[in-house]
Amino acid sequence: ISNIDQKEIVAKKISKLVQDSQTIGIGSGSTAFLALKHIAQKVKEEQLTIKVIPTSYEIELACTYLGLTLTTLQQERPDWYFDGADEVDVDNNLIKGRGGAMFREKLLLMSSNKNYIIVDKSKMVTHLGEKFKVPIEVIPEAINYVRHSLVKMDIVTMDLRMATKKDGPVITENGNFILDVKFKKIERTFEKDIKNIVGVIASGLFQNYDISIITP
Ligand code: DER
């Protein structure tokens, strides 16, 4: 079945988990967006009362449009979190961040007791890095220091993510740049190694997290 049908299947699956009075963390990307629509429909049909914590402006605007009640991590923790991914390897390690929201996605994931990743089969890989680069969010002032530090990690390519509808680089919700990096081989320590570079806010590498993968 097509990728879009697979996304609908996992979106419907995750929406079934919603219960009254829950606070739910909402990941970003097209699969999470589909799930959000099914969640909003279930909330309306069953007259549930839930709160949601978004991970990007896109999802925040979608939650508002769908009439869902927003809250923040300052007020409470999510009962559970769901999100998409760009790649899932055989050990459930992820590459995320095609949508550029990986800092808040990682923060929500770490703040939640239970985490679900909803993916169509095209996301499954043997080794991370087969199809997607690793996005790294960088404080603008640190961009050159971070570039020099990454070069030592045996990279293949490293590109500053440029905007298409605005001159200059993409600016994240946190006001930062994104470097998209292709590594020769992604080692098990890379998420930590990258995070240790001063000026790095977060990367799209999610290694050794306690997550449940939902497939069609
Ligand atoms: O940016 C992200 O991390 C998204 O979750 C992304 O990885 C998945 O987006 P998709 O559901 O549109 O493929």
Side-chain angles (χ1 to χ4, degrees), residues 2-214:
S2 74
N3 271 5
I4 185 71
D5 292 342
Q6 289 185 51
K7 288 186 178 201
E8 274 294 332
I9 290 167
V10 295
K12 280 196 188 108
K13 266 187 189 177
I14 202 77
S15 68
K16 292 187 174 19
L17 299 180
V18 175
Q19 291 168 18
D20 201 25
S21 312
Q22 285 183 330
T23 295
I24 305 167
I26 316 285
S28 296
S30 63
T31 313
F33 188 87
L34 284 175
L36 185 64
K37 286 197 284 190
H38 287 290
I39 287 170
Q41 191 182 351
K42 178 173 179 183
V43 164
K44 207 166 161 193
E45 282 165 2
E46 300 176 18
Q47 297 180 330
L48 305 178
T49 303
I50 68 164
K51 285 185 268 184
V52 291
I53 306 181
T55 50
S56 62
Y57 289 147
E58 184 202 22
I59 291 298
E60 184 177 331
L61 293 170
C63 289
T64 305
Y65 175 75
L66 291 165
L68 295 167
T69 304
L70 293 167
T71 186
T72 71
L73 285 177
Q74 273 103 338
Q75 277 121 314
E76 52 204 297
R77 295 182 58 180
D79 294 297
W80 55 281
Y81 176 67
F82 72 91
D83 199 345
D86 298 307
E87 291 186 0
V88 182
D89 76 4
V90 294
D91 299 315
N92 285 0
N93 298 306
L94 314 175
I95 288 183
K96 285 176 51 52
R98 174 204 53 76
M102 58 276 183
F103 168 70
R104 281 167 71 178
E105 289 174 332
K106 196 171 277 187
L107 177 61
L108 259 294
L109 188 145
M110 293 302 289
S111 308
S112 302
N113 302 316
K114 184 75 186 138
N115 295 297
Y116 300 93
I117 298 294
I118 54 176
V119 289
D120 60 82
K121 291 193 176 74
S122 74
K123 310 299 183 70
M124 312 311 280
V125 296
T126 312
H127 302 291
L128 288 187
E130 283 176 16
K131 302 178 183 174
F132 280 81
K133 295 176 180 175
V134 176
I136 300 171
E137 181 164 346
V138 181
I139 298 270
E141 194 177 3
I143 193 71
N144 287 323
Y145 172 73
V146 173
R147 278 178 180 277
H148 290 310
S149 306
L150 286 169
V151 163
K152 295 174 192 148
M153 291 177 71
D154 216 5
I155 62 171
V156 177
T157 60
M158 172 166 57
D159 301 294
L160 181 61
R161 189 180 293 190
M162 300 309 281
T164 52
K165 301 282 176 59
K166 172 193 174 294
D167 290 351
V170 163
I171 306 293
T172 68
E173 277 83 347
N174 315 301
N176 298 315
F177 292 165
I178 294 176
L179 285 173
D180 288 303
V181 184
K182 183 166 179 50
F183 293 97
K184 270 206 178 66
K185 181 177 181 295
I186 296 175
E187 305 294 349
R188 280 183 312 100
T189 59
F190 267 20
E191 177 179 2
K192 288 187 176 58
D193 297 342
I194 292 167
K195 186 68 183 73
N196 285 337
I197 301 170
V198 173
V200 168
I201 294 297
S203 79
L205 270 184
F206 288 60
Q207 295 176 305
N208 301 319
Y209 285 86
D210 177 15
I211 49 181
S212 301
I213 307 294
I214 308 281

